[in-house]
Amino acid sequence: MNINELKKQLQLKEQQLLADMARGAADTRKSRGAEVQDHTDQVASSEMKESAFQENSYDWNILIEVRDALLRIENGTFGKCAACGQQIDDDRLNAIPWTSYCLNDQSQRDHKWFPKTD
Ligand SMILES: [Zn+2]
């Protein structure tokens, strides 16, 4: 595991997320400023706001995880699963450097949050 490389990736991701959110906020401001012509425009504009909001909250959640991962690098707990304490697989960390769970615990959490409905 090349921690300096992962740290660079995390910092890059942090910058990208901040830029995306700033752009999203600017778009929302622009659409809010635009004269709403008629009902269809109103619907379109509120749908746009809704999807911008969802995108921003998704980006926000990832940003929190990225910053937590940078903190873990600083305090030396990076790469350890927050649930079982085991070392997280290198391939998984290279793919998702901000993950705080091993694959096993992540899939258990996913099942908990998104139970399969047969
Ligand atoms: Zn685990």
Side-chain angles (χ1 to χ4, degrees):
M1 173 174 54
N2 181 339
I3 214 144
N4 289 324
E5 187 51 42
L6 290 172
K7 189 174 178 180
K8 255 189 250 153
Q9 277 186 45
L10 286 164
Q11 287 166 333
L12 213 64
K13 184 76 182 173
E14 185 184 25
Q15 294 311 314
Q16 185 207 318
L17 287 166
L18 289 170
D20 285 355
M21 286 198 282
R23 203 176 316 117
D27 289 351
T28 310
R29 268 197 306 278
K30 224 187 292 170
S31 73
R32 202 178 287 140
E35 278 304 309
V36 176
Q37 300 302 328
D38 58 22
H39 180 65
T40 29
D41 279 352
Q42 270 174 359
V43 172
S45 138
S46 66
E47 275 170 5
M48 222 172 79
K49 261 183 249 163
E50 175 66 24
S51 71
F53 176 76
Q54 277 170 0
E55 226 173 279
N56 261 5
S57 48
Y58 173 78
D59 283 352
W60 184 249
N61 288 330
I62 301 286
L63 183 64
I64 290 168
E65 290 187 47
V66 166
R67 286 181 169 165
D68 279 351
L70 287 166
L71 277 177
R72 287 197 294 278
I73 290 177
E74 297 308 317
N75 66 27
T77 59
F78 183 79
K80 297 237 174 348
C81 175
C84 68
Q86 298 286 318
Q87 184 62 37
I88 299 171
D89 193 56
D90 278 4
D91 290 345
R92 179 164 165 71
L93 284 173
N94 287 326
I96 317 167
W98 53 88
T99 188
S100 44
Y101 297 99
C102 66
L103 193 58
N104 185 33
D105 282 303
Q106 185 68 59
S107 45
Q108 279 182 30
R109 291 172 64 81
D110 290 348
H111 284 313
K112 203 171 95 188
W113 294 111
F114 312 103
K116 273 216 195 86
T117 48
D118 293 325

